[in-house]
Amino acid sequence: MASFSNVLEIDGLTVSYRRGQKSLDAVRNVSFSIAAGQSYGLVGESGSGKSTLALAIMQYLPENGLVTGGTIRLGGQDLAALPREQMQQVWRDQIKLVPQDPGASLNPSLRIGDQLDEALCDGNEARDELRQRSLEQLRQVRIADPERVAASYPHQLSGGMQQRVLIAMALARQPSLLILDEPTTNLDVTTEAVILDLVRDLVHGQRTAILYVSHNLGVVASICDRVAVLYAGELVEDLTPQQLRRRPLHPYTLGLLDSVPRLGQRAGVDPLLPIAGTIARLDALPAGCVFAPRCPIAQQLCRDLRPELEETPEGGLVRCHRWREIAAGMVDARADRPAAVASQNGVSGAASALRTEALVKHFPVRRTLAEALRRTPARQVHAVDGVSLQIGQQRTLGLVGESGSGKTTAARCIVGLVERTGGQVTLFDIALAPGLDRRDAAVLRRLQMVFQNPEEALNPHRTVGDVLQRPLMRLMGLSAGEARQQAGELLEAVRLSSAYLDRTPGQLSGGEKQRVAIARAFASNPDVLILDESVSALDVSVQASILNLLTELQAEQGSAYLFISHDLAAVSYLADDIAVMYLGQVVETGSAEQMLHPPFHPYSEALLSAVPRIDAAGPERIRLPGDLPSAIDLPSGCRFHTRCPRLLGDICRTQEPPWQETAPGHRYRCHIAPDELTAMQVSSGEQNGWPRREMGEASR
Amino acid sequence: MSRYVARRLAFLVITLLLTSLIVFVVTQWLPGDVARVILGREASEPALAALRAELGLDKPLPLQYLSWLGRFLTGDWGTSYSTGLPVRDLVLERAGNSTMLAGLTLLIAVPLSVFLGVVAGLKADKPLDATISIGSLAVVGLPEFVTGLILIEVLALRLHLFPANSSIRPGTGFFEALPQLVLPALTATFVLLAYVTRLTRAGVVEEMRQGYVRTATLKGLPRRTVVGRHVLRNALLPTITVLAISFGWLIGGLIVIENVFNYPGLGRLMTFAIDRRDLPLMQAITLLTVLVFALANLGADLLYAALNPRIRLE
Ligand code: SF4
Ligand code: SF4
């Protein structure tokens, strides 16, 4: 069924990894094709085989990886059969990869311009001419000052800028196939949004075929013409984004959708429905349907017989015995609603569990000798600049902002890992000392933190059991036996079996380590728990169960949370109140409800409109130009004025904006008064509470 | 950058002053009376006293130090007790010889060990890598005098390729001395080889794992371009630093090798000076060696910074 318009045709592809004597099939019998100008999204969690698939297509598998079945055809040519020299040609001219980690993907010791020249070079053009084309290419990815960027080394650019450079490189020779492997995963939402727009625009109307690999259904649905869902190495469903939004048929796809919080979804009202269990291991695949052990509607047939990929009347493909029943609405394939997800019990206005007043952290910048002689005043990084937060008992405060906004430093000052420069931190009515060493053990127990990077918190030489039992025995006074029992229960709560008690952190995956770190924080039954991007790196189904777990434990133990995340949807799912930070300051705070409706601070507005969403279409959103300014030389007046889409004029550049109060508890810091701001934001075609508006039309 | 260099140079001067002080004090406290060493066991007390006065050995130590330092800085390094010759001529002559040997060693060792290291790194965990690694480790296990003697036995006595004795006459130029330089240089190479090879291998293995290698490969560049233009630039950074530092060792630290081959370098002069308790000679050699070490370190740091744009010197 070879069709000439298909750029890429994958047929029955199986990819295996050698592990000692064994051979594990990481991708099994996958077929799909992508036509010229089409964009195809590949979605899956870790272990789904999506990256293996992308690398197999690139013919760049690791040494122990091998295509053991099927064909990969690019423009009719079987790539697996190509000798290395010809594959080099294909790499140069036809297939391009935009990787996940832009920083690591550029050579640190070569200037950007040279690296770009290399990608463009045919081997015989003059240097100047080549450089001109490189600069042109940088302009294409909307880099405003290509000369400066070309002369820079990678470490001098922000992550978003590096990713643009890589995209420029990839598109340099107008490839027939562009593979994007989680290209925005490590970027801020605002940067992600800009990059996604860029990809969308650059390929629009081109003949380049796109394979977009991601764990994020929202991103894929907003960019691609077709979406394929991969589970444990198999393609389980292939459908259009419209079908995905309206009516996916495979229980796994449904499970994924129900695991991701939508913007505005609230834990207490509409809980996430996480997928039970964990992904099947490649060396212990079920005999029947690979999803059967986790499927809420599995039957005996499912366990005995592996389903085939079948075509649906709507033109999709689905691998499930029961898809007809699901399509007809005869069975509900959604996971059970978790029993114990209680609504938030915290009472607004109740006594605060944790309070910061005018919290300040400045890091000194070292002066050079000459500066010291000239008596140039010492300069400071204004990481946190007068932040006042309040978390009520048993309530959750969500803290959002781009990286560099100071949210992590603020958290570290609160727990005492970083000594604050000024301000107060109060836990119930205890004033906390700046440094950890001057806080007593009781305070340490009552205030716990889970980090973004679990390595920081886990001693590699202790078993998981040790890690969990120690606080239980020391702080909670349990006996060794009780502690072990309790540790096992904590593990179950974070969806790890008690078999993990005897493992060391080295034997765990990143996600598993993070879950152990969360379990450990709960072991000491804290009054206040700070979660700093603690669930961001987890697979969505695990993330969902942890978010629900947090809600449950809060109801049970009455802890208050400070939930720090760049993921606004997750924050608004969990938090009762939200604070938005920009360049060391809080620019808006209010209840989660208030924060999702106008008026918003212009920065919050931009953050909200940058969230990739599966349930809404339309790219006309607010985009922030440029990168976060330096926290050393802060912008004058309103710190946001260099990027603000609603900039008023000189007043923003010269005068610090006042707090504006819109309703009890909701305040933002801007020169625009609430009614005016509401009018602007509502009139710009706002829908469901968030605006859609092009940046260029912003009133100036 | 220039500020950094200035600071490092100031630091270097302080180091040298401190070393000179230590050297001076320690050499003064070495057991044994210099005057007696020079005049012999049978010398009379008045003759000894006269010589001590002549050498300034009767003055207080600080004064001795200052005047010695002053003379040293103005180029008067004193007279060797044991030979009666000016120390400066002796030391500079030998330093020239040492530089020739160090130069030839680097000429052999750098390309060889870098080549072996890169090959081993590119073929990591393949038979070729194992051969290179085991081979270079076997060589490093042998003490210098053993490798030296083996080389003499095989290359000089059996095959008659190079002379076994490297005692060149004063004033011999590099090319004239070349045949006699080869064996000691090879011996020194063996000492460096294993270390530099392994360091290079580690650098290459580490860098080959980096994402930018994938980017470069997927640009469709041929492998030699990927390695030559992208990988080596980063992988060789530690190697270059170590080589620059090893220059100091090659100048001042080849005592065993120079003795095995009878090569008139600084190392042997030092042995000689220690044997004779020739204080002015020992002081001058030590200071010169420390200077070379310090300069080699500074050179290594500057080179590293120049090659690595991520380092900003302040
Ligand atoms: S085949 Fe059965 S177990 Fe598999 S997804 Fe369909 S219903 Fe669930
Ligand atoms: S004060 Fe001005 S620059 Fe700042 S957020 Fe408001 S409108 Fe934008």
Side-chain angles (χ1 to χ4, degrees):
Chain A
M1 51 171 224
S3 140
F4 285 108
S5 68
N6 277 345
V7 174
L8 180 73
E9 285 178 343
I10 307 275
D11 193 18
L13 185 68
T14 297
V15 185
S16 318
Y17 287 111
R18 253 180 298 110
R19 293 264 160 79
Q21 298 299 319
K22 278 185 291 188
S23 167
L24 302 176
D25 300 338
V27 169
R28 291 178 308 280
N29 195 14
V30 167
S31 307
F32 63 87
S33 55
I34 312 179
Q38 199 188 28
S39 53
Y40 191 82
L42 212 50
V43 181
E45 298 181 278
S46 49
S48 65
K50 58 187 193 304
S51 292
T52 299
L53 192 50
L55 291 177
I57 296 169
M58 289 298 299
Q59 297 285 302
Y60 197 76
L61 285 167
E63 257 183 47
N64 63 339
L66 191 68
V67 172
T68 44
T71 54
I72 304 164
R73 289 178 181 282
L74 184 76
Q77 192 175 31
D78 186 356
L79 293 184
L82 284 187
R84 172 104 183 180
E85 294 84 71
Q86 284 185 42
M87 198 57 218
Q88 265 173 20
Q89 292 278 324
V90 172
W91 282 335
R92 204 169 65 108
D93 300 326
Q94 296 184 50
I95 312 189
K96 290 291 174 184
L97 176 76
V98 175
Q100 182 179 148
D101 36 9
S105 299
L106 291 165
N107 191 328
S109 348
L110 283 174
R111 289 179 198 278
I112 297 294
D114 295 333
Q115 302 193 45
L116 196 50
D117 288 353
E118 204 176 44
L120 276 160
C121 182
D122 272 324
N124 43 17
E125 58 270 87
R127 275 196 86 116
D128 293 355
E129 200 184 309
L130 195 59
R131 181 49 59 93
Q132 280 316 313
R133 278 174 44 208
S134 291
L135 294 177
E136 184 45 43
Q137 205 62 38
L138 289 176
R139 254 173 236 123
Q140 281 234 331
V141 292
R142 301 192 199 132
I143 289 178
D145 44 357
E147 282 86 4
R148 182 187 65 84
V149 169
S152 306
Y153 288 101
H155 71 274
Q156 296 167 322
L157 305 179
S158 66
M161 208 53 127
Q162 292 170 339
Q163 194 58 290
R164 289 186 207 209
V165 169
L166 281 157
I167 292 175
M169 242 177 224
L171 293 176
R173 303 179 70 89
Q174 285 155 352
S176 43
L177 174 65
L178 179 65
I179 301 181
L180 299 126
D181 185 6
E182 305 256 16
T184 60
T185 302
N186 298 323
L187 304 176
D188 274 313
V189 261
T190 48
T191 318
E192 171 177 76
V194 172
I195 296 281
L196 291 181
D197 286 352
L198 184 65
V199 171
R200 225 179 262 132
D201 292 357
L202 287 180
V203 299
H204 186 76
Q206 300 281 327
R207 298 199 39 81
T208 301
I210 292 197
L211 178 63
Y212 197 107
V213 180
S214 176
H215 69 283
N216 190 324
L217 277 171
V219 166
V220 166
S222 76
I223 282 238
C224 297
D225 310 321
R226 272 202 95 74
V227 179
V229 180
L230 220 53
Y231 180 77
E234 284 176 19
L235 210 158
V236 295
E237 187 160 13
D238 179 322
L239 70 185
T240 63
Q242 293 75 25
Q243 288 163 359
L244 179 68
R245 280 184 204 112
R246 221 178 40 241
R247 201 172 54 172
L249 296 178
H250 196 282
Y252 177 62
T253 316
L254 279 162
L256 278 183
L257 278 175
D258 285 340
S259 299
V260 191
R262 280 164 284 117
L263 203 51
Q265 186 178 351
R266 311 271 296 129
V269 185
D270 184 6
L272 297 172
L273 310 177
I275 305 167
T278 49
I279 200 162
R281 288 170 40 168
L282 287 180
D283 54 358
L285 286 177
C289 170
V290 282
F291 188 59
R294 306 177 72 184
C295 181
I297 55 163
Q299 296 173 321
Q300 197 51 44
L301 173 69
C302 306
R303 294 184 198 100
D304 297 338
L305 185 70
R306 197 160 288 192
E308 292 299 318
L309 210 50
E310 290 177 63
E311 204 158 330
T312 66
E314 285 166 318
L317 296 169
V318 59
R319 189 189 292 276
C320 171
H321 290 305
R322 303 189 67 181
W323 70 267
R324 285 186 184 82
E325 297 164 72
I326 297 170
M330 287 155 61
V331 287
D332 182 4
R334 304 177 78 192
D336 295 336
R337 194 182 157 97
V341 174
S343 63
Q344 271 90 345
N345 309 10
V347 193
S348 58
S352 68
L354 183 82
R355 214 170 58 235
T356 72
E357 265 157 69
L359 186 68
V360 174
K361 179 66 200 180
H362 291 174
F363 295 101
V365 180
R366 266 184 53 192
R367 280 185 299 183
T368 61
L369 188 67
E371 280 169 346
L373 290 177
R374 264 187 264 120
R375 300 191 172 262
T376 320
R379 295 186 308 164
Q380 312 273 340
V381 177
H382 300 248
V384 176
D385 226 0
V387 165
S388 301
L389 300 170
Q390 179 167 354
I391 311 173
Q393 280 175 36
Q394 212 171 338
R395 284 175 75 84
T396 301
L397 173 68
L399 190 58
V400 292
E402 291 166 283
S403 48
S405 60
K407 50 194 198 311
T408 292
T409 309
R412 287 175 178 248
C413 287
I414 293 174
V415 290
L417 282 174
V418 167
E419 292 201 13
R420 60 180 184 260
T421 318
Q424 299 294 323
V425 179
T426 323
L427 180 69
F428 288 85
D429 39 19
I430 313 164
L432 298 185
L436 209 49
D437 44 351
R438 302 216 327 272
R439 298 186 179 179
D440 60 36
V443 166
L444 298 185
R445 180 191 71 74
R446 295 174 67 184
L447 178 59
Q448 296 276 323
M449 175 159 174
V450 181
F451 298 91
Q452 176 169 20
N453 178 0
E455 317 284 342
E456 257 181 277
L458 298 182
N459 181 335
H461 304 297
R462 306 197 94 90
T463 63
V464 170
D466 276 353
V467 166
L468 296 181
Q469 278 159 248
R470 242 162 55 110
L472 287 170
M473 290 161 64
R474 226 188 40 201
L475 302 170
M476 310 296 290
L478 299 187
S479 73
E482 288 167 336
R484 191 170 168 89
Q485 161 114 28
Q486 181 95 44
E489 281 167 23
L490 279 166
L491 279 184
E492 307 263 322
V494 292
R495 305 257 306 267
L496 293 172
S497 76
S498 41
Y500 280 81
L501 281 174
D502 298 316
R503 303 200 186 157
T504 56
Q507 296 165 295
L508 308 184
S509 73
E512 290 170 337
K513 277 184 226 168
Q514 189 59 286
R515 283 182 272 168
V516 172
I518 292 173
R520 193 188 69 155
F522 274 108
S524 48
N525 191 10
D527 289 329
V528 176
L529 178 59
I530 301 183
L531 298 133
D532 183 8
E533 299 279 7
S534 310
V535 297
S536 314
L538 301 177
D539 273 324
V540 287
S541 61
V542 178
Q543 186 187 37
S545 59
I546 298 225
L547 288 178
N548 283 351
L549 171 79
L550 289 173
T551 330
E552 262 169 57
L553 287 171
Q554 184 165 56
E556 253 171 61
Q557 303 195 340
S559 307
Y561 298 147
L562 176 58
F563 184 78
I564 302 175
S565 176
H566 68 279
D567 181 353
L568 257 169
V571 168
S572 70
Y573 175 72
L574 206 61
D576 305 288
D577 306 296
I578 296 178
V580 179
M581 274 184 80
Y582 187 78
L583 275 183
Q585 290 183 328
V586 173
V587 295
E588 182 173 5
T589 109
S591 74
E593 201 55 38
Q594 289 165 333
M595 299 293 285
L596 290 175
H597 299 283
F600 323 99
H601 185 279
Y603 178 60
S604 317
E605 183 187 6
L607 282 182
L608 276 168
S609 77
V611 176
R613 292 167 51 209
I614 193 160
D615 51 351
E620 289 113 302
R621 303 273 175 91
I622 290 181
R623 295 293 178 250
L624 292 184
D627 296 322
L628 201 66
S630 144
I632 301 174
D633 304 308
L634 290 166
S636 59
C638 172
R639 293 188 179 180
F640 188 49
H641 84 247
T642 56
R643 300 167 80 195
C644 181
R646 302 208 179 270
L647 185 84
L648 283 179
D650 273 344
I651 184 171
C652 296
R653 292 192 196 92
T654 52
Q655 283 180 40
E656 250 190 71
W659 280 106
Q660 310 263 9
E661 179 120 17
T662 67
H666 181 218
R667 318 190 291 159
Y668 65 89
R669 199 186 282 222
C670 176
H671 286 298
I672 308 178
D675 339 340
E676 271 176 74
L677 197 53
T678 313
M680 285 177 186
Q681 287 166 341
V682 171
S683 76
S684 52
E686 159 261 334
Q687 186 190 28
N688 299 339
W690 34 84
R692 300 211 272 113
R693 175 191 176 86
E694 196 113 54
M695 205 202 78
E697 321 163 14
S699 43
R700 278 172 202 274
Chain B
M1 178 84 183
S2 58
R3 195 162 52 227
Y4 173 81
V5 177
R7 213 173 58 207
R8 284 295 304 261
L9 282 175
F11 189 67
L12 190 141
V13 169
I14 296 171
T15 317
L16 285 175
L17 280 177
L18 269 178
T19 340
S20 73
L21 189 62
I22 294 168
V23 163
F24 186 79
V25 169
V26 170
T27 48
Q28 283 301 336
W29 284 350
L30 269 184
D33 180 346
V34 181
R36 200 176 278 287
V37 170
I38 295 174
L39 294 182
R41 205 173 290 267
E42 311 299 301
S44 70
E45 201 49 47
L48 289 172
L51 185 61
R52 284 190 200 115
E54 190 195 324
L55 295 176
L57 293 174
D58 56 346
K59 303 236 177 63
L61 277 180
L63 265 187
Q64 283 189 40
Y65 170 67
L66 283 181
S67 67
W68 169 77
L69 189 64
R71 275 184 278 126
F72 199 91
L73 289 178
T74 53
D76 173 10
W77 296 1
T79 310
S80 150
Y81 294 163
S82 54
T83 63
L85 297 171
V87 168
R88 207 172 90 140
D89 296 352
L90 272 176
V91 170
L92 288 187
E93 159 75 25
R94 295 302 189 90
N97 289 348
S98 280
T99 312
M100 291 200 296
L101 182 53
L104 183 65
T105 307
L106 289 182
L107 273 181
I108 303 172
V110 172
L112 188 64
S113 52
V114 167
F115 175 77
L116 287 176
V118 170
V119 170
L122 292 179
K123 298 275 173 211
D125 304 323
K126 300 263 168 62
L128 189 56
D129 170 36
T131 315
I132 293 175
S133 299
I134 292 172
S136 57
L137 270 182
V139 173
V140 82
L142 298 175
E144 293 143 85
F145 65 88
V146 178
T147 16
L149 291 178
I150 293 175
L151 286 176
I152 291 181
E153 178 65 30
V154 178
L155 297 184
L157 301 182
R158 300 243 169 121
L159 301 176
H160 303 289
L161 290 177
F162 304 101
N165 189 322
S166 305
S167 56
I168 56 173
R169 266 177 293 108
T172 315
F174 181 72
F175 290 103
E176 202 184 328
L178 199 54
Q180 285 167 296
L181 287 174
V182 171
L183 290 188
L186 277 181
T187 314
T189 297
F190 278 129
V191 179
L192 285 179
L193 190 68
Y195 183 49
V196 179
T197 303
R198 290 193 67 75
L199 195 67
T200 310
R201 175 189 182 276
V204 170
V205 168
E206 172 65 27
E207 292 301 321
M208 285 301 284
R209 284 199 206 113
Q210 302 300 315
Y212 70 81
V213 175
R214 178 182 62 194
T215 310
T217 307
L218 295 185
K219 279 177 188 169
L221 300 174
R223 193 170 160 86
R224 56 169 192 288
T225 314
V226 174
V227 173
R229 233 173 99 76
H230 287 269
V231 176
L232 291 190
R233 188 177 296 266
N234 297 299
L236 292 186
L237 283 176
T239 309
I240 289 171
T241 314
V242 161
L243 284 172
I245 291 174
S246 74
F247 190 71
W249 172 74
L250 286 172
I251 296 284
L254 294 187
I255 299 182
V256 176
I257 294 179
E258 289 178 12
N259 275 312
V260 169
F261 290 95
N262 238 338
Y263 184 77
L266 275 181
R268 266 194 64 218
L269 190 62
M270 188 64 169
T271 329
F272 173 83
I274 292 172
D275 274 352
R276 306 294 161 92
R277 301 223 158 82
D278 195 332
L279 293 187
L281 203 51
M282 281 157 71
Q283 292 162 344
I285 298 172
T286 314
L287 278 184
L288 189 69
T289 315
V290 170
L291 175 70
V292 173
F293 265 100
L295 283 177
N297 266 312
L298 176 62
D301 284 357
L302 292 181
L303 202 57
Y304 186 80
L307 294 173
N308 187 350
R310 280 164 293 184
I311 305 271
R312 295 278 303 279
L313 299 179
E314 307 225 330

